[in-house]
Amino acid sequence: MIAALRGKLRRKLENRVVVESGGVGYEVFLPPVTLKAVSETVADDGERAGEISLVIYYHATRDQPRPILIGFTSELEKEFFEKLITVKDIGPLVAARALICPVGELADAIARQDERFLRRLPGIGPQKAKNIVAQLQAKVAKFALLKEPAAAPPEPPLEPAAEDD
């Protein structure tokens, strides 16, 4: 199993990167918040692409034997992700796509039972938001305390949620 990956960034695509390590190119899916962090440190053109280091979640099942590598910038991000995929109907790709803002903000929203905030995440509807709050509210306190570095740019605006009638 692959737990970490460090190498030269060879390609950056819409939601994934190719990292060359030891002569092998690994395709790694990146959650939006991780992709943003990687984009800030590496040029788009590949010419000046530098070294990249990722913590990896390795996912393969009998039903989907092609492994999927999901990359994170820290062990804490990966740990939060692993808690998120324990929620009913939240698989690895849904969870990864939902990580559009820092883990601390997501954990804080879960701790506050802010289902409306969670529904604005890609792939998270009303039932999934309820499940996330019900199953994780008591388990995310340490993540809610995470503070972003002072130099971090503001979070991208979330799409407005549809009002309930």
Side-chain angles (χ1 to χ4, degrees):
M1 182 161 48
I2 300 168
L5 187 60
R6 183 176 57 198
K8 190 158 184 86
L9 182 68
R10 287 295 176 198
R11 250 171 96 194
K12 191 167 69 166
L13 305 164
E14 181 180 343
N15 59 3
R16 58 195 188 283
V17 294
V18 176
V19 179
E20 183 182 322
S21 180
V24 177
Y26 297 89
E27 185 175 89
V28 183
F29 181 88
L30 299 180
V33 71
T34 305
L35 187 60
K36 182 178 179 186
V38 168
S39 295
E40 290 172 356
T41 60
V42 180
D44 283 327
D45 57 13
E47 298 274 331
R48 301 176 306 162
E51 185 108 341
I52 184 172
S53 183
L54 297 168
V55 177
I56 300 294
Y57 175 82
Y58 180 95
H59 179 74
T61 64
R62 197 175 327 145
D63 296 333
Q64 181 169 342
R66 179 179 172 221
I68 297 171
L69 304 179
I70 302 173
F72 303 92
T73 57
S74 72
E75 286 288 343
L76 276 175
E77 283 182 355
K78 179 184 171 190
E79 187 180 340
F80 179 82
F81 168 82
E82 288 173 330
K83 288 209 183 300
L84 191 55
I85 62 174
T86 65
V87 174
K88 182 181 187 295
D89 296 328
I90 306 281
L93 290 177
V94 169
R97 287 185 183 112
L99 296 177
I100 62 170
C101 57
V103 166
E105 290 180 34
L106 291 173
D108 183 57
I110 294 168
R112 289 183 287 109
Q113 302 180 34
D114 190 348
E115 292 178 20
R116 184 176 177 165
F117 178 92
L118 297 173
R119 286 193 314 258
R120 291 184 284 173
L121 303 174
I124 306 299
Q127 187 58 50
K128 287 181 184 177
K130 285 180 188 195
N131 291 345
I132 290 169
V133 168
Q135 295 178 38
L136 297 183
Q137 183 184 10
K139 300 177 183 177
V140 297
K142 81 175 188 182
F143 301 104
L145 297 175
L146 290 176
K147 302 290 185 214
E148 292 302 305
E155 153 195 354
L158 297 173
E159 295 177 17
E163 291 295 320
D164 293 340
D165 292 325

